[in-house]
Amino acid sequence: MPKPSVLARLDKVVDDFCRRTRYFQEELTKGRARMFAMQHRLNTRQRNSVLKLKVAANCPDWDTRIEIIKACSQEVIADHEHGRGRAHWEILEDLGTKIGLKRSEIRAAAPIASTQLAWAAWEGLMASRHWLEGIVANTCAERANVPGYGTGIMKKRGWFGLERERWGKLFGLADDELEFFELHEKADIEHSDAGWRAVERFAKRLRMEDAAVAACEKNLAVWEMYLDGIGAAGNRLDGG
C-alpha cells in the first residue's frame, strides 16, 4: 500500500489533536473563558510579533515569506479583510470586556506558567529550525479552525466555530459580539492553507516530509499543554 501523502499525514495529526485535547472536550466555564481571553491575547501578540516573524526571516521563498508577514500583520496591526481594520488581539480584548473582565485587568494580565513554557518551546521549534518546519509551527493549530477535524460541532464548524457556540450560550452573547471567533473561522482557513500549500510545494523536494509531520506533532503537543494550562488556571478562577 502506498504511503499517505504528507498533507494526509498532517491532517491526521491535526485530527488527533482535536479529538484528544481536554480543553475542547471539557465543559467551558466562565473562569476558563476569561482566562482564555487574557492568555490568548498575550499569545496572539507574542506569536505574531516575535515567533512567526523569525520563521519569515528564515524563509527563502519570497511569496511564502510575504504570506507569513501578511498574516502576522492581521493579527497584531490591522485586519482590513476580516476585522474592519482592527488587530485580532484588540478584538479579543473587546470580547473580554463583554464577559465580565475590565480592560485594565486584561491589559495587566501576565502569562501563566504554562503559557511561558509554551513560548519557550515554540522559540526552539520556530526560531532555530528549518523554515519549512517553522511554517508548520506557524499554522498547524490554525488548521484546527478548518471544518473536518475532531468530532461534533468542531468537525462541522472548526475549533472557533465550537467556541463561538460555547461562549454564546454561556454568556448570552449575540453573533456580532462573537466576531473574534467568526473572523478566525475565515482568516485561519487562509492562513493554514498557506502553510499547507508550502508543505505541499517544498517538503518532497527538500526530502522533509517526515520532518514536517514530526514538527506538526511536536507543536500541537505544545498547543495542548498551552490550552490545558488555561483550563486549569480557569478552574482556579471559578474557585475549583
Side-chain angles (χ1 to χ4, degrees), residues 91-214:
I91 299 170
L92 180 54
E93 185 177 288
D94 289 341
L95 176 59
T97 67
K98 293 179 174 67
I99 62 170
L101 292 168
K102 296 179 180 178
R103 198 173 297 275
S104 59
E105 184 179 9
I106 299 170
R107 293 179 176 177
I112 58 178
S114 51
T115 298
Q116 293 180 59
L117 286 171
W119 289 350
W122 283 321
E123 178 76 24
L125 291 168
M126 298 167 79
S128 60
R129 296 297 179 96
H130 190 278
W131 61 270
L132 191 63
E133 294 173 286
I135 285 173
V136 173
N138 278 8
T139 58
C140 60
E142 293 175 330
R143 195 70 189 172
N145 279 329
V146 178
Y149 303 103
T151 61
I153 296 171
M154 194 168 186
K155 184 170 186 176
K156 184 177 180 181
R157 300 180 188 170
W159 169 21
F160 276 3
L162 168 67
E163 297 301 348
R164 186 153 58 100
E165 179 156 319
R166 297 202 298 181
W167 287 52
K169 287 182 178 179
L170 183 61
F171 294 101
L173 299 175
D175 283 347
D176 62 346
E177 296 177 296
L178 294 161
E179 64 175 324
F180 175 78
F181 298 121
E182 184 176 7
L183 75 88
H184 276 88
E185 289 175 63
K186 300 172 184 176
D188 282 355
I189 290 176
E190 295 176 9
H191 297 174
S192 68
D193 278 351
W196 258 226
R197 283 196 304 270
V199 172
E200 187 175 36
R201 287 174 61 199
F202 296 108
K204 186 174 182 179
R205 186 190 314 175
L206 296 170
R207 299 182 180 179
M208 291 189 63
E209 291 168 299
D210 290 345
V213 174

